[in-house]
Amino acid sequence: MHRRTFIKSSLALAGVSLIGTGCSSTANQVLISAARDSSGNDSIRLTDPYKGQCTVIPVSQRLHDVSLRPGSNEVVVFERRPGYQLYVINFQSAQITQTIHTTAERHLYGHGIFSPDGKLLYTTENNLKLLNGVIGIYDAEQGYRRVGEWLLPGSGPHEIKMMPDGETLVVAMGGIQTHPDSGRKTLNPDTLQPSLIYLNRYSGEIIDQQSFIDPHLSIRHLDIARDGTVAIGMQYQGSNDEALPLVATHNPGRPIKAIDALPEQWLALNGYIASVAVLSKADTIAVTSPRGNRIALIQKSTGHLKSFIYQRDCAGIAPLASNRLAVSNGLGEIQILECFQGQAKTVHEVKHTDCQWDNHMLRI
């Protein structure tokens, strides 16, 4: 599809009319995700969640997550670990406006988050000399110039989010040491120390650090409810013969609490959570497991895993409305779910040809 045609239809100020779907989309509702085609070409793609058309922005490396800069028409897309570049995209023109390189002896872990005023970008990175995690700080008002970093008490920081107070960052610390010279090999399999870390975004001061029940449960992804509850998704660094909890919640001042589920439900997720999303008004936490081919739905208020929805190789997840989610997969499909109290029904499905969606997705 011609880029100008897509942008005119999908990013116009008017809402998009959806014929024959029984659904209606709000104004400016566009999904952004990394993707790959069958020839192995990587790209950033923008699409209406209800249509099988998208605009493609080619890139040279595989990408991971996307972050929206508040108060602007910019998003930043991060290269996958071990990545060295992040791309600034104008989502109205669907063009890359800047390519930012990490500083020496640092690589990206594929995630970042903006300050509420859109001035600073915080990224999770690896110090290649110490094999220790750092938060890189970039000034978006100065062309994304790197202005500093904070050393973290641990290895393998992955997803990072801003707490509702706008002052506290929360980081999923995977606890895994890696180095590009060793590929994606875990260098410390016997000394993993995953944790959930809270820090002040102005000073870098560590406010709290919480560990969970088993060091082989690498804390990787998270989302935050309106009340400040942090939902975390984990990836088990071992054989999947133990029914260990892969999803938990945390409230400041309390221990991390595992979601209540049957052993066979944990085993069905095959040791791997790819993305987490909280729908506060729908009383639902949703997580994806591409290795288990399942979307797991949890009632937030009770902490019980209520239901599964089957979707092959599902990974990306993005809230569309207070009770609606888009979930993507490696087969080019996007499934729209309507959720309530840990239950969901599919209300729409669309297939993108020659498209393998990557692990994360953002709605703007």
Side-chain angles (χ1 to χ4, degrees):
M1 188 178 189
H2 196 283
R3 175 180 292 170
R4 284 193 294 262
T5 303
F6 173 81
I7 295 300
K8 183 177 180 181
S9 63
S10 295
L11 299 176
L13 292 177
V16 179
S17 174
L18 301 169
I19 301 173
T21 66
C23 307
S24 62
S25 123
T26 58
N28 299 321
Q29 198 164 62
V30 173
L31 294 174
I32 302 180
S33 178
R36 177 174 283 182
D37 65 22
S38 58
S39 299
N41 300 308
D42 292 295
S43 63
I44 302 158
R45 299 194 181 205
L46 294 82
T47 183
D48 183 300
Y50 296 94
K51 295 186 176 181
Q53 303 164 330
C54 58
T55 192
V56 178
I57 306 172
V59 292
S60 59
Q61 300 292 330
R62 184 177 173 182
L63 307 181
H64 198 60
D65 201 8
V66 187
S67 185
L68 172 67
R69 183 184 178 193
S72 79
N73 57 2
E74 291 180 354
V75 295
V76 170
V77 191
F78 308 88
E79 284 188 353
R80 178 179 183 251
R81 171 177 70 92
Y84 298 92
Q85 296 181 128
L86 52 88
Y87 299 88
V88 183
I89 310 264
N90 182 313
F91 60 76
Q92 291 184 329
S93 63
Q95 293 181 337
I96 297 173
T97 58
Q98 282 183 272
T99 301
I100 311 300
H101 298 265
T102 59
T103 194
E105 300 296 334
R106 303 290 184 272
H107 75 65
L108 299 165
Y109 277 102
H111 288 272
I113 194 71
F114 280 92
S115 58
D117 60 7
K119 179 180 179 180
L120 297 177
L121 173 68
Y122 304 94
T123 62
T124 51
E125 302 183 7
N126 192 14
N127 180 317
L128 294 178
K129 289 185 177 180
L130 302 176
L131 297 187
N132 207 91
V134 298
I135 301 297
I137 308 168
Y138 299 79
D139 191 331
E141 293 183 347
Q142 297 184 39
Y144 290 87
R145 181 173 69 89
R146 188 183 176 93
V147 294
E149 69 175 33
W150 294 317
L151 187 67
L152 293 169
S155 304
H158 201 67
E159 190 158 19
I160 180 172
K161 294 279 190 179
M162 186 72 66
M163 292 293 286
D165 63 9
E167 299 182 354
T168 306
L169 294 165
V170 58
V171 185
M173 295 291 294
I176 300 173
Q177 290 183 351
T178 59
H179 192 284
D181 291 348
S182 303
R184 298 178 67 80
K185 180 182 178 181
T186 297
L187 301 179
N188 62 330
D190 299 323
T191 57
L192 300 175
Q193 293 183 312
S195 64
L196 192 67
I197 290 180
Y198 298 83
L199 64 154
N200 182 283
R201 79 174 184 91
Y202 299 105
S203 66
E205 176 188 1
I206 302 299
I207 299 168
D208 191 14
Q209 183 173 9
Q210 294 283 332
S211 299
F212 196 41
I213 58 174
D214 189 317
H216 291 92
L217 286 168
S218 178
I219 299 175
R220 305 296 280 277
H221 294 108
L222 50 83
D223 197 18
I224 305 171
R226 291 186 177 185
D227 64 2
T229 299
V230 178
I232 61 176
M234 290 163 276
Q235 297 171 8
Y236 185 55
Q237 304 301 301
S239 61
N240 192 35
D241 54 2
E242 291 187 74
L244 293 173
L246 297 171
V247 187
T249 59
H250 183 252
N251 295 96
R254 301 177 184 177
I256 295 175
K257 183 179 180 180
I259 292 302
D260 185 21
L262 298 172
E264 54 266 33
Q265 290 177 311
W266 291 129
L267 290 172
L269 296 174
N270 203 13
Y272 194 96
I273 300 298
S275 295
V276 181
V278 180
L279 295 176
S280 294
K281 287 190 174 180
D283 191 20
T284 298
I285 299 168
V287 301
T288 55
S289 174
R291 294 182 184 177
N293 298 309
R294 287 168 172 83
I295 307 159
L297 297 142
I298 297 151
Q299 186 174 13
K300 175 184 173 295
S301 60
T302 63
H304 292 289
L305 198 162
K306 291 285 190 178
S307 60
F308 284 139
I309 288 184
Y310 180 82
Q311 191 194 95
R312 290 175 60 194
D313 197 25
C314 59
I317 192 167
L320 299 179
S322 61
N323 69 335
R324 190 165 285 196
L325 284 172
V327 183
S328 63
N329 68 14
L331 306 176
E333 298 166 343
I334 294 178
Q335 188 172 6
I336 308 299
L337 304 179
E338 217 161 69
C339 306
F340 182 66
Q341 293 183 342
Q343 305 285 342
K345 64 178 180 179
T346 301
V347 296
H348 188 68
E349 293 178 279
V350 65
K351 175 68 179 284
H352 293 258
T353 58
D354 198 18
C355 174
Q356 303 165 19
W357 295 111
D358 217 291
N359 282 40
H360 299 288
M361 187 165 53
L362 175 73
R363 179 192 66 85
I364 56 172

